[in-house]
């Protein structure tokens, strides 16, 4: 069970934007968008694609509702980068 909303980046309300429930947190000179090219997807039907037009540093974030967490329980986060 995931406490992260839209962890697979598959839900996208507005075309050519960051997938739903995610927010760009820093950077410039680049774009972040959903990618549905299957050779770039490890699981499911979408991934997150960052295209740089310079030496930009950029990231995405999502707040986690503390009410969804259980005390003394371990949580794991992972990502694959290509």
């Amino acid at each position: 069970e995931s406490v992260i909303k839209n962890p697979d980046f598959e839900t996208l309300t507005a075309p050519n934007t960051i997938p739903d429930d995610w927010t760009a947190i820093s950077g410039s000179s680049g774009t972040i968008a959903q990618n549905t090219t299957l050779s770039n997807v490890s699981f499911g039907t979408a991934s997150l694609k960052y295209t740089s037009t310079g030496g930009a540093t950029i990231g995405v974030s999502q707040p986690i509702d503390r009410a969804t967490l259980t005390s003394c329980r371990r949580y794991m986060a992972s990502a694959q980068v290509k």
Side-chain angles (χ1 to χ4, degrees):
E1 176 181 342
S2 180
V3 296
I4 297 175
K5 297 175 184 174
N6 195 19
D8 52 13
F9 308 113
E10 292 180 358
T11 305
L12 181 71
T13 302
N16 301 314
T17 61
I18 297 173
D20 294 1
D21 301 306
W22 293 93
T23 304
I25 55 171
S26 64
S28 59
S29 302
T31 59
I32 300 175
Q34 182 189 54
N35 184 354
T36 56
T37 303
L38 292 181
S39 63
N40 294 322
V41 176
S42 295
F43 179 80
T45 60
S47 64
L48 192 67
K49 181 177 183 178
Y50 169 64
T51 305
S52 175
T53 56
T57 301
I58 199 162
V60 293
S61 70
Q62 181 181 128
I64 297 173
D65 182 3
R66 292 184 66 174
T68 65
L69 304 178
T70 303
S71 179
C72 299
R73 180 175 179 182
R74 291 181 186 210
Y75 293 88
M76 180 181 76
S78 65
Q80 292 184 353
V81 178
K82 180 176 179 183

